[in-house]
Amino acid sequence: MDFPFDDAPNTAVITCCHVLEQKQPILHVSHDMEDGMWQFLCGSSHDTSEGRIVSLHGICVQDPSIVRLAGMPCGYTADRNGIADEWHIQEKA
């Protein structure tokens, strides 16, 4: 299977300790306009100490449903209420 993102599999992305430790699912994804950075978060508020850097491939392995967001442009976010729900994509305000 081809990697669906335009970014390389080893691209650094931001996640939180809750997602990395598989205590919470990914419910909020951001593709930042300024630097193209991807963020895969649980949707809760976080302290900066809870941030983690992982590879884009690693986060795809952890939650394969995020590949549906591979074409999401910079400056957009995606949210869902639960792991089985559809993503709702919108431009950042």
PDB file of all heavy atoms in Angstrom, residues 27-33 38 43 68-69 71-81 86-93:
ATOM      1  N   LEU A  27      -9.198  12.666  18.238  1.00  0.00           N
ATOM      2  CA  LEU A  27     -10.489  13.286  17.951  1.00  0.00           C
ATOM      3  C   LEU A  27     -10.343  14.655  17.289  1.00  0.00           C
ATOM      4  O   LEU A  27     -11.326  15.214  16.801  1.00  0.00           O
ATOM      5  CB  LEU A  27     -11.311  13.426  19.238  1.00  0.00           C
ATOM      6  CG  LEU A  27     -11.648  12.125  19.967  1.00  0.00           C
ATOM      7  CD1 LEU A  27     -12.435  12.421  21.240  1.00  0.00           C
ATOM      8  CD2 LEU A  27     -12.410  11.157  19.063  1.00  0.00           C
ATOM      9  N   HIS A  28      -9.132  15.203  17.273  1.00  0.00           N
ATOM     10  CA  HIS A  28      -8.891  16.520  16.666  1.00  0.00           C
ATOM     11  C   HIS A  28      -7.583  16.462  15.881  1.00  0.00           C
ATOM     12  O   HIS A  28      -6.552  16.038  16.409  1.00  0.00           O
ATOM     13  CB  HIS A  28      -8.800  17.604  17.745  1.00  0.00           C
ATOM     14  CG  HIS A  28      -8.458  18.946  17.190  1.00  0.00           C
ATOM     15  ND1 HIS A  28      -9.392  19.753  16.575  1.00  0.00           N
ATOM     16  CD2 HIS A  28      -7.283  19.610  17.138  1.00  0.00           C
ATOM     17  CE1 HIS A  28      -8.800  20.872  16.179  1.00  0.00           C
ATOM     18  NE2 HIS A  28      -7.520  20.804  16.509  1.00  0.00           N
ATOM     19  N   VAL A  29      -7.656  16.883  14.627  1.00  0.00           N
ATOM     20  CA  VAL A  29      -6.467  16.934  13.765  1.00  0.00           C
ATOM     21  C   VAL A  29      -6.369  18.338  13.196  1.00  0.00           C
ATOM     22  O   VAL A  29      -7.361  18.917  12.758  1.00  0.00           O
ATOM     23  CB  VAL A  29      -6.553  15.893  12.626  1.00  0.00           C
ATOM     24  CG1 VAL A  29      -5.358  16.017  11.687  1.00  0.00           C
ATOM     25  CG2 VAL A  29      -6.647  14.481  13.193  1.00  0.00           C
ATOM     26  N   SER A  30      -5.170  18.871  13.215  1.00  0.00           N
ATOM     27  CA  SER A  30      -4.914  20.198  12.675  1.00  0.00           C
ATOM     28  C   SER A  30      -3.760  20.106  11.675  1.00  0.00           C
ATOM     29  O   SER A  30      -2.770  19.414  11.928  1.00  0.00           O
ATOM     30  CB  SER A  30      -4.542  21.151  13.814  1.00  0.00           C
ATOM     31  OG  SER A  30      -4.176  22.409  13.295  1.00  0.00           O
ATOM     32  N   HIS A  31      -3.914  20.775  10.541  1.00  0.00           N
ATOM     33  CA  HIS A  31      -2.837  20.886   9.554  1.00  0.00           C
ATOM     34  C   HIS A  31      -2.525  22.374   9.449  1.00  0.00           C
ATOM     35  O   HIS A  31      -3.240  23.137   8.786  1.00  0.00           O
ATOM     36  CB  HIS A  31      -3.294  20.303   8.213  1.00  0.00           C
ATOM     37  CG  HIS A  31      -2.181  20.028   7.275  1.00  0.00           C
ATOM     38  ND1 HIS A  31      -2.415  19.647   5.984  1.00  0.00           N
ATOM     39  CD2 HIS A  31      -0.846  20.056   7.417  1.00  0.00           C
ATOM     40  CE1 HIS A  31      -1.267  19.458   5.364  1.00  0.00           C
ATOM     41  NE2 HIS A  31      -0.297  19.705   6.218  1.00  0.00           N
ATOM     42  N   ASP A  32      -1.505  22.794  10.157  1.00  0.00           N
ATOM     43  CA  ASP A  32      -1.222  24.212  10.366  1.00  0.00           C
ATOM     44  C   ASP A  32      -0.828  24.937   9.072  1.00  0.00           C
ATOM     45  O   ASP A  32      -0.051  24.424   8.269  1.00  0.00           O
ATOM     46  CB  ASP A  32      -0.116  24.387  11.403  1.00  0.00           C
ATOM     47  CG  ASP A  32      -0.519  23.849  12.766  1.00  0.00           C
ATOM     48  OD1 ASP A  32      -1.729  23.674  13.008  1.00  0.00           O
ATOM     49  OD2 ASP A  32       0.382  23.590  13.590  1.00  0.00           O
ATOM     50  N   MET A  33      -1.370  26.137   8.911  1.00  0.00           N
ATOM     51  CA  MET A  33      -1.101  26.966   7.738  1.00  0.00           C
ATOM     52  C   MET A  33       0.339  27.484   7.726  1.00  0.00           C
ATOM     53  O   MET A  33       1.003  27.482   6.695  1.00  0.00           O
ATOM     54  CB  MET A  33      -2.078  28.154   7.703  1.00  0.00           C
ATOM     55  CG  MET A  33      -1.858  29.091   6.522  1.00  0.00           C
ATOM     56  SD  MET A  33      -2.077  28.304   4.927  1.00  0.00           S
ATOM     57  CE  MET A  33      -3.828  28.444   4.746  1.00  0.00           C
ATOM     58  N   TRP A  38       1.452  18.859  11.166  1.00  0.00           N
ATOM     59  CA  TRP A  38       0.247  18.097  11.526  1.00  0.00           C
ATOM     60  C   TRP A  38       0.211  17.927  13.039  1.00  0.00           C
ATOM     61  O   TRP A  38       1.250  17.682  13.670  1.00  0.00           O
ATOM     62  CB  TRP A  38       0.285  16.717  10.895  1.00  0.00           C
ATOM     63  CG  TRP A  38       0.033  16.669   9.426  1.00  0.00           C
ATOM     64  CD1 TRP A  38       0.976  16.668   8.425  1.00  0.00           C
ATOM     65  CD2 TRP A  38      -1.234  16.584   8.775  1.00  0.00           C
ATOM     66  NE1 TRP A  38       0.361  16.596   7.207  1.00  0.00           N
ATOM     67  CE2 TRP A  38      -0.994  16.529   7.390  1.00  0.00           C
ATOM     68  CE3 TRP A  38      -2.546  16.546   9.239  1.00  0.00           C
ATOM     69  CZ2 TRP A  38      -2.017  16.435   6.452  1.00  0.00           C
ATOM     70  CZ3 TRP A  38      -3.570  16.450   8.305  1.00  0.00           C
ATOM     71  CH2 TRP A  38      -3.300  16.395   6.934  1.00  0.00           C
ATOM     72  N   GLY A  43      -8.349  16.009  21.740  1.00  0.00           N
ATOM     73  CA  GLY A  43      -9.432  16.973  21.815  1.00  0.00           C
ATOM     74  C   GLY A  43      -9.550  17.676  23.151  1.00  0.00           C
ATOM     75  O   GLY A  43     -10.359  18.581  23.300  1.00  0.00           O
ATOM     76  N   ARG A  68      -7.814   8.994   6.013  1.00  0.00           N
ATOM     77  CA  ARG A  68      -8.902   9.705   5.319  1.00  0.00           C
ATOM     78  C   ARG A  68      -8.643  11.204   5.255  1.00  0.00           C
ATOM     79  O   ARG A  68      -9.252  11.912   4.466  1.00  0.00           O
ATOM     80  CB  ARG A  68     -10.235   9.444   6.009  1.00  0.00           C
ATOM     81  CG  ARG A  68     -10.673   8.013   5.932  1.00  0.00           C
ATOM     82  CD  ARG A  68     -12.051   7.841   6.564  1.00  0.00           C
ATOM     83  NE  ARG A  68     -12.234   6.447   6.892  1.00  0.00           N
ATOM     84  CZ  ARG A  68     -12.582   5.990   8.079  1.00  0.00           C
ATOM     85  NH1 ARG A  68     -12.820   6.829   9.058  1.00  0.00           N
ATOM     86  NH2 ARG A  68     -12.713   4.706   8.294  1.00  0.00           N
ATOM     87  N   LEU A  69      -7.744  11.696   6.102  1.00  0.00           N
ATOM     88  CA  LEU A  69      -7.448  13.125   6.163  1.00  0.00           C
ATOM     89  C   LEU A  69      -6.199  13.505   5.372  1.00  0.00           C
ATOM     90  O   LEU A  69      -5.772  14.655   5.406  1.00  0.00           O
ATOM     91  CB  LEU A  69      -7.282  13.552   7.622  1.00  0.00           C
ATOM     92  CG  LEU A  69      -8.479  13.269   8.530  1.00  0.00           C
ATOM     93  CD1 LEU A  69      -8.149  13.624   9.971  1.00  0.00           C
ATOM     94  CD2 LEU A  69      -9.713  14.011   8.045  1.00  0.00           C
ATOM     95  N   GLY A  71      -5.551  14.251   2.395  1.00  0.00           N
ATOM     96  CA  GLY A  71      -5.683  15.365   1.464  1.00  0.00           C
ATOM     97  C   GLY A  71      -6.127  16.665   2.095  1.00  0.00           C
ATOM     98  O   GLY A  71      -6.331  17.660   1.393  1.00  0.00           O
ATOM     99  N   MET A  72      -6.250  16.686   3.422  1.00  0.00           N
ATOM    100  CA  MET A  72      -6.710  17.909   4.093  1.00  0.00           C
ATOM    101  C   MET A  72      -5.651  19.009   3.937  1.00  0.00           C
ATOM    102  O   MET A  72      -4.499  18.819   4.314  1.00  0.00           O
ATOM    103  CB  MET A  72      -6.970  17.632   5.579  1.00  0.00           C
ATOM    104  CG  MET A  72      -7.629  18.795   6.287  1.00  0.00           C
ATOM    105  SD  MET A  72      -8.180  18.385   7.966  1.00  0.00           S
ATOM    106  CE  MET A  72      -6.625  18.415   8.866  1.00  0.00           C
ATOM    107  N   PRO A  73      -6.028  20.159   3.371  1.00  0.00           N
ATOM    108  CA  PRO A  73      -5.039  21.211   3.130  1.00  0.00           C
ATOM    109  C   PRO A  73      -4.579  21.911   4.406  1.00  0.00           C
ATOM    110  O   PRO A  73      -5.236  21.842   5.444  1.00  0.00           O
ATOM    111  CB  PRO A  73      -5.777  22.191   2.216  1.00  0.00           C
ATOM    112  CG  PRO A  73      -7.212  21.849   2.280  1.00  0.00           C
ATOM    113  CD  PRO A  73      -7.351  20.493   2.870  1.00  0.00           C
ATOM    114  N   CYS A  74      -3.454  22.592   4.286  1.00  0.00           N
ATOM    115  CA  CYS A  74      -2.968  23.426   5.387  1.00  0.00           C
ATOM    116  C   CYS A  74      -4.027  24.478   5.705  1.00  0.00           C
ATOM    117  O   CYS A  74      -4.705  24.986   4.805  1.00  0.00           O
ATOM    118  CB  CYS A  74      -1.672  24.124   4.999  1.00  0.00           C
ATOM    119  SG  CYS A  74      -0.268  23.016   4.777  1.00  0.00           S
ATOM    120  N   GLY A  75      -4.163  24.779   6.990  1.00  0.00           N
ATOM    121  CA  GLY A  75      -5.128  25.766   7.426  1.00  0.00           C
ATOM    122  C   GLY A  75      -6.491  25.182   7.761  1.00  0.00           C
ATOM    123  O   GLY A  75      -7.438  25.917   7.984  1.00  0.00           O
ATOM    124  N   TYR A  76      -6.576  23.855   7.811  1.00  0.00           N
ATOM    125  CA  TYR A  76      -7.839  23.182   8.117  1.00  0.00           C
ATOM    126  C   TYR A  76      -7.687  22.310   9.360  1.00  0.00           C
ATOM    127  O   TYR A  76      -6.579  21.918   9.736  1.00  0.00           O
ATOM    128  CB  TYR A  76      -8.282  22.310   6.937  1.00  0.00           C
ATOM    129  CG  TYR A  76      -8.938  23.109   5.841  1.00  0.00           C
ATOM    130  CD1 TYR A  76      -8.186  23.928   5.002  1.00  0.00           C
ATOM    131  CD2 TYR A  76     -10.314  23.067   5.653  1.00  0.00           C
ATOM    132  CE1 TYR A  76      -8.785  24.672   4.005  1.00  0.00           C
ATOM    133  CE2 TYR A  76     -10.924  23.808   4.652  1.00  0.00           C
ATOM    134  CZ  TYR A  76     -10.154  24.606   3.832  1.00  0.00           C
ATOM    135  OH  TYR A  76     -10.763  25.349   2.852  1.00  0.00           O
ATOM    136  N   THR A  77      -8.827  22.027   9.980  1.00  0.00           N
ATOM    137  CA  THR A  77      -8.883  21.103  11.102  1.00  0.00           C
ATOM    138  C   THR A  77      -9.962  20.058  10.828  1.00  0.00           C
ATOM    139  O   THR A  77     -10.853  20.275  10.000  1.00  0.00           O
ATOM    140  CB  THR A  77      -9.220  21.814  12.432  1.00  0.00           C
ATOM    141  OG1 THR A  77     -10.519  22.399  12.324  1.00  0.00           O
ATOM    142  CG2 THR A  77      -8.189  22.870  12.781  1.00  0.00           C
ATOM    143  N   ALA A  78      -9.855  18.947  11.539  1.00  0.00           N
ATOM    144  CA  ALA A  78     -10.872  17.902  11.460  1.00  0.00           C
ATOM    145  C   ALA A  78     -11.187  17.451  12.880  1.00  0.00           C
ATOM    146  O   ALA A  78     -10.284  17.300  13.699  1.00  0.00           O
ATOM    147  CB  ALA A  78     -10.369  16.729  10.626  1.00  0.00           C
ATOM    148  N   ASP A  79     -12.464  17.243  13.140  1.00  0.00           N
ATOM    149  CA  ASP A  79     -12.905  16.801  14.457  1.00  0.00           C
ATOM    150  C   ASP A  79     -13.919  15.687  14.301  1.00  0.00           C
ATOM    151  O   ASP A  79     -14.618  15.594  13.288  1.00  0.00           O
ATOM    152  CB  ASP A  79     -13.567  17.960  15.214  1.00  0.00           C
ATOM    153  CG  ASP A  79     -12.579  19.053  15.555  1.00  0.00           C
ATOM    154  OD1 ASP A  79     -11.790  18.859  16.479  1.00  0.00           O
ATOM    155  OD2 ASP A  79     -12.603  20.101  14.877  1.00  0.00           O
ATOM    156  N   ARG A  80     -13.997  14.852  15.322  1.00  0.00           N
ATOM    157  CA  ARG A  80     -15.030  13.821  15.412  1.00  0.00           C
ATOM    158  C   ARG A  80     -15.334  13.611  16.885  1.00  0.00           C
ATOM    159  O   ARG A  80     -14.516  13.927  17.757  1.00  0.00           O
ATOM    160  CB  ARG A  80     -14.597  12.526  14.739  1.00  0.00           C
ATOM    161  CG  ARG A  80     -13.354  11.890  15.368  1.00  0.00           C
ATOM    162  CD  ARG A  80     -12.930  10.668  14.598  1.00  0.00           C
ATOM    163  NE  ARG A  80     -11.674  10.145  15.149  1.00  0.00           N
ATOM    164  CZ  ARG A  80     -11.041   9.091  14.681  1.00  0.00           C
ATOM    165  NH1 ARG A  80     -11.549   8.432  13.652  1.00  0.00           N
ATOM    166  NH2 ARG A  80      -9.913   8.688  15.221  1.00  0.00           N
ATOM    167  N   ASN A  81     -16.512  13.088  17.165  1.00  0.00           N
ATOM    168  CA  ASN A  81     -16.921  12.877  18.560  1.00  0.00           C
ATOM    169  C   ASN A  81     -16.384  11.586  19.145  1.00  0.00           C
ATOM    170  O   ASN A  81     -16.200  11.475  20.355  1.00  0.00           O
ATOM    171  CB  ASN A  81     -18.440  12.896  18.674  1.00  0.00           C
ATOM    172  CG  ASN A  81     -19.003  14.274  18.390  1.00  0.00           C
ATOM    173  OD1 ASN A  81     -18.408  15.277  18.754  1.00  0.00           O
ATOM    174  ND2 ASN A  81     -20.137  14.324  17.724  1.00  0.00           N
ATOM    175  N   GLU A  86     -17.593   9.930  11.805  1.00  0.00           N
ATOM    176  CA  GLU A  86     -16.981  10.557  10.628  1.00  0.00           C
ATOM    177  C   GLU A  86     -16.243  11.828  11.030  1.00  0.00           C
ATOM    178  O   GLU A  86     -16.621  12.500  11.987  1.00  0.00           O
ATOM    179  CB  GLU A  86     -18.062  10.894   9.595  1.00  0.00           C
ATOM    180  CG  GLU A  86     -18.673   9.688   8.944  1.00  0.00           C
ATOM    181  CD  GLU A  86     -17.693   8.877   8.124  1.00  0.00           C
ATOM    182  OE1 GLU A  86     -16.887   9.469   7.369  1.00  0.00           O
ATOM    183  OE2 GLU A  86     -17.713   7.631   8.250  1.00  0.00           O
ATOM    184  N   TRP A  87     -15.214  12.157  10.248  1.00  0.00           N
ATOM    185  CA  TRP A  87     -14.482  13.399  10.461  1.00  0.00           C
ATOM    186  C   TRP A  87     -15.275  14.565   9.896  1.00  0.00           C
ATOM    187  O   TRP A  87     -15.857  14.464   8.818  1.00  0.00           O
ATOM    188  CB  TRP A  87     -13.126  13.333   9.757  1.00  0.00           C
ATOM    189  CG  TRP A  87     -12.167  12.396  10.408  1.00  0.00           C
ATOM    190  CD1 TRP A  87     -11.827  11.141   9.974  1.00  0.00           C
ATOM    191  CD2 TRP A  87     -11.402  12.629  11.588  1.00  0.00           C
ATOM    192  NE1 TRP A  87     -10.907  10.594  10.827  1.00  0.00           N
ATOM    193  CE2 TRP A  87     -10.626  11.490  11.822  1.00  0.00           C
ATOM    194  CE3 TRP A  87     -11.309  13.692  12.468  1.00  0.00           C
ATOM    195  CZ2 TRP A  87      -9.765  11.374  12.910  1.00  0.00           C
ATOM    196  CZ3 TRP A  87     -10.446  13.591  13.560  1.00  0.00           C
ATOM    197  CH2 TRP A  87      -9.686  12.448  13.767  1.00  0.00           C
ATOM    198  N   HIS A  88     -15.270  15.696  10.592  1.00  0.00           N
ATOM    199  CA  HIS A  88     -15.862  16.944  10.125  1.00  0.00           C
ATOM    200  C   HIS A  88     -14.714  17.925   9.896  1.00  0.00           C
ATOM    201  O   HIS A  88     -14.041  18.329  10.846  1.00  0.00           O
ATOM    202  CB  HIS A  88     -16.862  17.492  11.140  1.00  0.00           C
ATOM    203  CG  HIS A  88     -18.003  16.564  11.378  1.00  0.00           C
ATOM    204  ND1 HIS A  88     -19.047  16.440  10.496  1.00  0.00           N
ATOM    205  CD2 HIS A  88     -18.234  15.678  12.380  1.00  0.00           C
ATOM    206  CE1 HIS A  88     -19.885  15.522  10.950  1.00  0.00           C
ATOM    207  NE2 HIS A  88     -19.418  15.055  12.092  1.00  0.00           N
ATOM    208  N   ILE A  89     -14.486  18.257   8.635  1.00  0.00           N
ATOM    209  CA  ILE A  89     -13.361  19.095   8.253  1.00  0.00           C
ATOM    210  C   ILE A  89     -13.844  20.517   8.042  1.00  0.00           C
ATOM    211  O   ILE A  89     -14.882  20.744   7.416  1.00  0.00           O
ATOM    212  CB  ILE A  89     -12.721  18.546   6.959  1.00  0.00           C
ATOM    213  CG1 ILE A  89     -12.215  17.118   7.198  1.00  0.00           C
ATOM    214  CG2 ILE A  89     -11.589  19.465   6.497  1.00  0.00           C
ATOM    215  CD1 ILE A  89     -11.790  16.395   5.942  1.00  0.00           C
ATOM    216  N   GLN A  90     -13.062  21.468   8.568  1.00  0.00           N
ATOM    217  CA  GLN A  90     -13.391  22.880   8.375  1.00  0.00           C
ATOM    218  C   GLN A  90     -12.127  23.711   8.337  1.00  0.00           C
ATOM    219  O   GLN A  90     -11.102  23.337   8.880  1.00  0.00           O
ATOM    220  CB  GLN A  90     -14.323  23.388   9.490  1.00  0.00           C
ATOM    221  CG  GLN A  90     -13.716  23.433  10.857  1.00  0.00           C
ATOM    222  CD  GLN A  90     -14.329  22.403  11.797  1.00  0.00           C
ATOM    223  OE1 GLN A  90     -15.338  21.800  11.499  1.00  0.00           O
ATOM    224  NE2 GLN A  90     -13.710  22.187  12.936  1.00  0.00           N
ATOM    225  N   GLU A  91     -12.254  24.861   7.691  1.00  0.00           N
ATOM    226  CA  GLU A  91     -11.137  25.798   7.634  1.00  0.00           C
ATOM    227  C   GLU A  91     -10.990  26.430   9.013  1.00  0.00           C
ATOM    228  O   GLU A  91     -11.981  26.756   9.673  1.00  0.00           O
ATOM    229  CB  GLU A  91     -11.402  26.868   6.579  1.00  0.00           C
ATOM    230  CG  GLU A  91     -10.209  27.730   6.297  1.00  0.00           C
ATOM    231  CD  GLU A  91     -10.406  28.620   5.064  1.00  0.00           C
ATOM    232  OE1 GLU A  91     -11.537  28.680   4.541  1.00  0.00           O
ATOM    233  OE2 GLU A  91      -9.427  29.225   4.650  1.00  0.00           O
ATOM    234  N   LYS A  92      -9.738  26.609   9.441  1.00  0.00           N
ATOM    235  CA  LYS A  92      -9.491  27.250  10.739  1.00  0.00           C
ATOM    236  C   LYS A  92      -9.986  28.688  10.708  1.00  0.00           C
ATOM    237  O   LYS A  92      -9.826  29.393   9.725  1.00  0.00           O
ATOM    238  CB  LYS A  92      -7.983  27.272  11.057  1.00  0.00           C
ATOM    239  CG  LYS A  92      -7.462  26.035  11.664  1.00  0.00           C
ATOM    240  CD  LYS A  92      -6.016  26.256  12.055  1.00  0.00           C
ATOM    241  CE  LYS A  92      -5.455  25.097  12.816  1.00  0.00           C
ATOM    242  NZ  LYS A  92      -4.064  25.336  13.197  1.00  0.00           N
ATOM    243  N   ALA A  93     -10.568  29.074  11.798  1.00  0.00           N
ATOM    244  CA  ALA A  93     -11.074  30.459  11.909  1.00  0.00           C
ATOM    245  C   ALA A  93      -9.953  31.414  12.205  1.00  0.00           C
ATOM    246  O   ALA A  93      -8.962  31.115  12.726  1.00  0.00           O
ATOM    247  CB  ALA A  93     -12.129  30.526  12.996  1.00  0.00           C
TER     248      ALA A  93
END
